[in-house]
Amino acid sequence: MDLLGLTNAFLIESGASDVVASLDEPADDVAQAIHWLDKSWTRFQLQRYWRFRFAERTIAVTIGKTEYTAADLGAAQGDVIIRDSFWNTNSGVIEYLSYEDIRVLRRAANSADRTKVKHVAMLPTNILHTYPDVTSTQTLSYDYWKGVQTLSEATDTPYGLPEDYHMLITHKALSDYGALIGGQEGQNLYNHHGSEYRILYNAYATFSGEDNQIPAIRKSLGV
Amino acid sequence: MASKYVPLRGGLTLSTSPLDVYPGALKDSLNYHEDTRGGYTRIDGYERYDGKASPSENTYYFARFDSWDTHVTDILINTTITVDSTIEMRVVALDTTTEADTLIAVVCSVDATTIPADLDTTPLDWDGTSSLVSMTLRAATTDTLDDAYLQASWDYTRGLISEIPGTETPAGCLQINDSVVAFRTDTATPKVYYSTATGWTEGTIGRVAEVTGYTADSILPGETIAGATFRVAAVCEWYDSTGTSDVTKAWLVLIPLTAATAPSTGASTASGGASFTIASVINPVVAWGSYIEYELHNFLVDPEDKAAWFCDGTNLAMCYSDTYHCVLPISANYNTVAGTLATSIGVLDDQLMYATGGGSFVISEPGNPFNFGGLYGAAEVGVGALITDMEASDGEHMMVYSSRDAKKLTGTDSSNFTFKTSGGNTGAEARSVRKLDDLYSFSTRGVNQLSRTEAIGGYLGGSVSVHVAESLIGMASKHLCSTTIPGKEQIRWYFSDNRFLTMTRLQTENGPRFSYSFCTYPDRPVRSVSTTVWTTGVERTFFTSDDGYVYEADKGTNFDGATLYSFIELHANHLGDPGADKAFKRVFWEAKSDEDAVLTLGFTLNYGEKSFETASIQAFGGQYVYDEGLYDVARYDSSTRTRSRALLKGRGFAITFSVDHTSQFTKSFNLTGYTIHYNQLGRSRS
């Protein structure tokens, strides 16, 4: 279901408004529904390092440059880079150090082997430091958890989560709605849709075997 | 879940604050009025009239002819046939495919009393082979077909009804003795017609003969003259230019008894034996004016029986005798009729009174509406302002209105008349004063009431339309005419913008309450109107408009064939708790209806801030009682109260309902109230 479908599911379940044909210039109830749906999807994505958030990327480490910003890395806001997943495609294993350890090495100005990247460190907001300054361009590969997808356009569809489970987004949003409107009906909506959400959530999170969405994080170092 | 019932009442209410206003009152409406039995009733339609069969009363039948595969004589569409010299019918549609070897002719204009009860066992022969075996009332299998056949029947009957003959806009119409009398000028000649079962029949315009060589009291009303070709309706004084009576002369008001319009001048005799000379004959009635206002009264003098005493704003006062179908001119002095006119007319205590078009009104001798001798009690009274209307409030008082006030005439004749102001600010537009026990008038101030009281002065005046005042601004100058519909406890004021204001008076334990609403006849301004109860007990209202037809109001389900559109919009309902949101779940609309009516329900929340798709609700026509059985068909058409459900959505602190309806076929229905189901939510954020 795209955002339009989620919104209409919300409107039908809540009876807050007629279903809508588009999300252009939404009236207040519809705007609230869209907001709650987006918030609900965000919260769901942030609950865990869901399997569908896992991704790989490479970065070219060039001569004379040892600090790479999130923009250099191509990392989006909210992407979580897995520190010990770095791999030098030219030479293999890279050992992850803390920034302070790399700084010690740099200050020591050792006559390191500059043909390959030996160590990397990550600073908050996805700033990458490499050591040593290489003499030829090296390509590093690494893994990361994608940041959250926002829903704003009618055609935006929650990625990764199978369509069968999309209603959990709506149920979560409806419990928000219940909390807002208050009264006995608000209480009922909150309780009912909260449990509907939890049922779908649990079903999704406890897939068995390899599909289990509780991520098994494996260190790439020392395999 | 909470629920609340809201009975619909109150009519248009525009001045009460939004939180205080009763939610069953109207914010706006068209073609509804509040009913004395509760709720809001959609008005009926109107249809043209000339005395012939009513279009809306026509209906269709399925006439089945058997053995049609071998029939000899065809039945053709749009022809009138008579089966076996027994039943006459008009064919509007044919169907030979639905039933094998059978022709189903859809026919209308059938006299139900001519249908034999034993058609199934004793068919009526059509052509020696085929026979009429059944007649089934309104047997179409779908609503669409039912509508189409009804429309064909109505269109046929409507096409048979004629305009009033003539060329100009009709002056108006009046009703007397179960007949409608219409006035229309043909080129420059005023003509009068009365309705009969075969359509309009022309009446006559009487003449006034100047008689010399006359002996006082030698001719009496009721005698005939000129070889019984004219009947004397009245014998009137002959005054010279100084106003002195000449007893050797007289004016005779004459009713033609033959085709001759006027007697020859010269020597003549009366049936009572008198001999005299007809010196001249005058016809004071010229082309009709722009309205007809009348009073029915039997003065127990000639013309015999009840007559209509009327004026048209252009001619002098007149009398229409239904006995002779004749219009007779009335003047205080037939020597000076040129330019005299009557603008308003009334009868008090057996005296005819008419306004002169200036600041005075004339009162006839008691019991002698054609005679105006001061010695016998006649008078002319100056008012000091242009008279807009006059109406007897009871047996003792004639109320005379100007645009700004009302005065009352008390007394029995010129010897004891007194004339005093009784409503200093209770004015009236022309022809806007109506009696519904008390007197009501329409002026720039809105609707004014003048009611009798025990207090000094005897009358209480005041505006009774303050709650709708803002909708009446500017309406006074558009006022055309008005009528009282006692059966509905209602007065209607008609305006030139095709609308009319209805005021229904409802009795409550706190005294009368007035309920207003607006209706409209699209493109059909009501220029002259008349309401009377016929001897059948039915109250009938007829009017004329810009075209040549006379129309009957409150008749049928459409506007002379055109669609009838109606709506009500109620005031917002905060359910007694404007600070809290509610989740609206469903509403049950309660209605009374003779036939099914499908209505469109609209609703908005928070004073229109949130609007929703409309829903459909129904007023079901009496689904419980079979009240008419005909052959093998039972029809459900008794009146009952029904509930129809619609789902609601949304949350808000107040909900507003509107009901729309458009149809040519739906009978009047009555919306009585709604029950709303809702859940209470938290504090309103709006």
Side-chain angles (χ1 to χ4, degrees):
Chain A
M1 262 190 293
D2 58 12
L3 181 58
L4 178 62
L6 291 169
T7 305
N8 282 333
F10 179 100
L11 297 176
I12 289 167
E13 290 271 351
S14 67
S17 171
D18 291 326
V19 294
V20 290
S22 83
L23 301 183
D24 300 339
E25 298 177 19
D28 61 349
D29 287 322
V30 179
Q32 278 183 307
I34 294 169
H35 170 74
W36 280 317
L37 288 163
D38 180 44
K39 193 173 109 184
S40 160
W41 174 229
T42 297
R43 212 163 14 176
F44 176 79
Q45 291 175 90
L46 294 179
Q47 293 262 335
R48 296 192 183 179
Y49 289 135
W50 298 112
R51 195 71 193 146
F52 62 76
R53 290 180 61 193
F54 183 81
E56 293 178 349
R57 206 155 39 204
T58 59
I59 170 80
V61 177
T62 53
I63 305 160
K65 184 171 166 82
T66 56
E67 182 179 340
Y68 297 87
T69 62
D72 295 333
L73 289 166
Q77 176 84 25
D79 283 358
V80 178
I81 291 170
I82 302 169
R83 293 163 187 252
D84 53 3
S85 69
F86 282 88
W87 177 263
N88 190 335
T89 56
N90 303 97
S91 58
V93 174
I94 291 173
E95 188 183 359
Y96 180 83
L97 296 177
S98 69
Y99 172 71
E100 288 77 3
D101 290 345
I102 282 189
R103 197 172 53 186
V104 169
L105 290 175
R106 283 178 182 162
R107 283 175 181 164
N110 286 339
S111 54
D113 174 4
R114 293 180 63 199
T115 60
K116 58 183 179 189
V117 176
K118 196 175 178 203
H119 301 292
V120 294
M122 293 296 302
L123 285 176
T125 65
N126 289 342
I127 296 168
L128 174 71
H129 285 266
T130 59
Y131 180 85
D133 183 10
V134 290
T135 52
S136 62
T137 301
Q138 303 289 302
T139 303
L140 309 190
S141 76
Y142 63 94
D143 303 337
Y144 67 101
W145 303 110
K146 286 191 228 175
V148 297
Q149 174 203 21
T150 57
L151 301 175
S152 57
E153 300 294 323
T155 52
D156 287 349
T157 306
Y159 81 104
L161 183 66
E163 174 114 9
D164 293 352
Y165 295 86
H166 280 187
M167 269 308 281
L168 68 82
I169 302 170
T170 307
H171 287 305
K172 183 70 186 151
L174 282 162
S175 69
D176 279 343
Y177 169 73
L180 171 87
I181 62 174
Q184 187 60 45
E185 165 141 320
Q187 187 92 53
N188 289 345
L189 282 172
Y190 185 83
N191 292 341
H192 172 71
H193 290 287
S195 75
E196 289 273 343
Y197 164 72
R198 188 49 63 182
I199 289 166
L200 280 174
Y201 180 93
N202 289 341
Y204 177 67
T206 56
F207 277 159
S208 61
E210 207 173 321
D211 289 331
N212 192 307
Q213 296 293 292
I214 301 169
I217 300 171
R218 195 160 49 109
K219 283 193 171 183
S220 50
L221 183 72
V223 175
Chain B
M1 189 179 296
S3 71
K4 194 161 261 184
Y5 176 65
V6 178
L8 301 187
R9 59 170 170 252
L12 263 187
T13 306
L14 304 175
S15 62
T16 312
S17 84
L19 290 179
D20 190 30
V21 70
Y22 175 66
L26 294 173
K27 187 154 75 178
D28 197 3
S29 75
L30 192 67
N31 292 339
Y32 277 88
H33 62 80
E34 187 166 357
D35 202 294
T36 50
R37 293 164 298 173
Y40 299 123
T41 297
R42 199 210 63 188
I43 63 166
D44 285 305
Y46 67 78
E47 67 183 16
R48 60 188 67 172
Y49 180 85
D50 67 356
K52 292 201 279 274
S54 149
S56 65
E57 287 173 13
N58 202 354
T59 187
Y60 71 89
Y61 291 78
F62 272 19
R64 281 187 179 73
F65 292 86
D66 67 358
S67 307
W68 194 252
D69 290 349
T70 51
H71 78 276
V72 177
T73 309
D74 278 339
I75 289 175
L76 300 175
I77 204 164
N78 293 336
T79 57
T80 301
I81 59 171
T82 305
V83 181
D84 207 10
S85 309
T86 306
I87 314 179
E88 187 178 288
M89 54 187 82
R90 177 77 180 183
V91 183
V92 295
L94 296 171
D95 173 8
T96 54
T97 55
T98 303
E99 293 177 27
D101 197 18
T102 302
L103 169 75
I104 300 175
V106 182
V107 298
C108 69
S109 302
V110 179
D111 178 354
T113 62
T114 62
I115 303 174
D118 57 351
L119 260 186
D120 52 341
T121 53
T122 315
L124 291 178
D125 177 56
W126 166 243
D127 59 3
T129 305
S130 175
S131 300
L132 176 65
V133 293
S134 76
M135 292 283 286
T136 316
L137 183 66
R138 279 184 74 176
T141 48
T142 65
D143 283 351
T144 312
L145 277 176
D146 185 56
D147 289 350
Y149 294 148
L150 271 184
Q151 183 152 26
S153 308
W154 295 346
D155 286 350
Y156 168 66
T157 329
R158 193 179 305 116
L160 299 176
I161 294 175
S162 356
E163 288 188 19
I164 314 158
T167 56
E168 308 301 313
T169 302
C173 60
L174 58 82
Q175 298 178 67
I176 182 167
N177 296 335
D178 293 0
S179 162
V180 177
V181 181
F183 300 84
R184 190 176 189 189
T185 300
D186 187 17
T187 315
T189 309
K191 293 199 168 176
V192 59
Y193 293 87
Y194 58 97
S195 65
T196 67
T198 55
W200 295 117
T201 306
E202 189 172 356
T204 55
I205 308 283
R207 296 292 191 269
V208 184
E210 182 184 27
V211 170
T212 58
Y214 170 70
T215 306
D217 300 332
S218 64
I219 307 175
L220 299 174
E223 293 180 11
T224 59
I225 65 162
T229 56
F230 290 88
R231 180 186 172 98
V232 178
V235 182
C236 304
E237 296 268 333
W238 193 101
Y239 298 103
D240 66 13
S241 56
T242 63
T244 307
S245 172
D246 183 341
V247 295
T248 67
K249 295 180 178 177
W251 291 100
L252 304 182
V253 181
L254 299 175
I255 298 167
L257 299 176
T258 64
T261 54
S264 311
T265 52
S268 188
T269 56
S271 58
S275 296
F276 52 89
T277 301
I278 297 177
S280 68
V281 179
I282 61 169
N283 175 15
V285 181
V286 297
W288 303 118
S290 56
Y291 62 87
I292 297 293
E293 189 184 318
Y294 71 101
E295 292 279 344
L296 296 180
H297 197 79
N298 186 351
F299 283 98
L300 300 175
V301 294
D302 225 76
E304 293 164 331
D305 208 346
K306 185 165 67 179
W309 307 87
F310 71 100
C311 62
D312 66 0
T314 298
N315 282 296
L316 64 189
M318 291 167 281
C319 164
Y320 175 80
S321 162
D322 188 52
T323 309
Y324 301 101
H325 304 300
C326 178
V327 170
L328 299 169
I330 300 167
S331 178
N333 182 356
Y334 289 100
N335 260 332
T336 58
V337 290
T340 64
L341 57 96
T343 57
S344 188
I345 209 149
V347 176
L348 175 72
D349 204 17
D350 230 20
Q351 289 173 287
L352 179 72
M353 305 186 181
Y354 64 86
T356 59
S360 69
F361 63 101
V362 173
I363 306 164
S364 77
E365 296 171 17
N368 285 324
F370 287 91
N371 298 92
F372 293 84
L375 278 177
Y376 304 103
E380 178 167 4
V381 178
V383 175
L386 188 68
I387 295 170
T388 53
D389 209 344
M390 47 205 294
E391 188 79 36
S393 71
D394 52 37
E396 293 182 332
H397 299 128
M398 172 63 76
M399 307 306 303
V400 180
Y401 283 78
S402 71
S403 60
R404 63 171 189 273
D405 65 2
K407 296 186 165 110
K408 67 173 178 188
L409 178 81
T410 314
T412 53
D413 59 43
S414 55
S415 66
N416 61 3
F417 279 144
T418 60
F419 191 57
K420 292 177 179 169
T421 296
S422 58
N425 296 304
T426 310
E429 290 298 310
R431 298 176 299 288
S432 75
V433 180
R434 289 292 146 192
K435 187 154 74 175
L436 191 61
D437 300 327
D438 289 329
L439 291 183
Y440 298 89
S441 62
F442 193 88
S443 73
T444 50
R445 204 178 165 206
V447 177
N448 306 288
Q449 181 186 30
L450 201 57
S451 55
R452 285 156 287 173
T453 166
E454 293 293 318
I456 291 171
Y459 283 88
L460 272 178
S463 172
V464 290
S465 57
V466 288
H467 285 314
V468 295
E470 66 184 82
S471 67
L472 304 181
I473 294 166
M475 297 302 284
S477 61
K478 298 177 183 169
H479 181 259
L480 293 173
C481 59
S482 56
T483 191
T484 306
I485 307 196
K488 295 186 166 80
E489 290 287 327
Q490 193 173 89
I491 296 176
R492 296 179 182 177
W493 287 276
Y494 297 89
F495 302 96
S496 59
D497 60 4
N498 305 330
R499 293 196 295 165
F500 56 95
L501 174 70
T502 71
M503 182 189 84
T504 308
R505 193 180 61 180
L506 300 134
Q507 290 299 343
T508 72
E509 54 200 19
N510 301 320
R513 174 170 73 78
F514 301 96
S515 175
Y516 297 89
S517 65
F518 275 103
C519 302
T520 189
Y521 293 158
D523 303 322
R524 194 77 72 215
V526 173
R527 301 223 167 263
S528 188
V529 61
S530 153
T531 304
T532 302
V533 179
W534 286 32
T535 50
T536 54
V538 180
E539 189 172 67
R540 302 182 77 170
T541 301
F542 294 89
F543 69 89
T544 60
S545 183
D546 290 338
D547 62 0
Y549 289 100
V550 166
Y551 294 98
E552 180 167 9
D554 293 347
K555 182 86 176 167
T557 58
N558 52 52
F559 293 148
D560 202 34
T563 300
L564 199 167
Y565 171 65
S566 63
F567 73 86
I568 55 171
E569 183 176 349
L570 300 173
H571 277 286
N573 189 354
H574 53 60
L575 296 153
D577 197 353
D581 270 340
K582 271 77 68 177
F584 297 102
K585 298 300 179 187
R586 62 189 69 84
V587 63
F588 294 88
W589 274 81
E590 309 203 345
K592 288 186 287 187
S593 180
D594 290 342
E595 290 189 0
D596 281 6
V598 180
L599 312 169
T600 305
L601 174 72
F603 62 99
T604 63
L605 303 184
N606 299 358
Y607 300 99
E609 187 192 336
K610 302 181 186 186
S611 57
F612 299 88
E613 284 170 21
T614 56
S616 180
I617 53 171
Q618 264 188 297
F620 302 105
Q623 74 268 50
Y624 301 122
V625 184
Y626 300 76
D627 80 334
E628 183 180 336
L630 187 83
Y631 189 54
D632 55 353
V633 176
R635 282 179 47 71
Y636 318 103
D637 64 353
S638 74
S639 176
T640 183
R641 192 172 291 223
T642 67
R643 275 158 69 96
S644 171
R645 190 181 84 146
L647 290 176
L648 301 177
K649 319 185 162 86
R651 74 194 143 86
F653 55 85
I655 187 164
T656 308
F657 288 108
S658 63
V659 178
D660 281 61
H661 183 256
T662 305
S663 170
Q664 290 164 268
F665 304 102
T666 307
K667 280 190 174 178
S668 173
F669 49 86
N670 174 259
L671 300 175
T672 55
Y674 64 83
T675 304
I676 187 167
H677 290 197
Y678 65 100
N679 273 337
Q680 194 78 17
L681 305 179
R683 181 175 64 84
S684 169
R685 267 84 169 167
S686 299

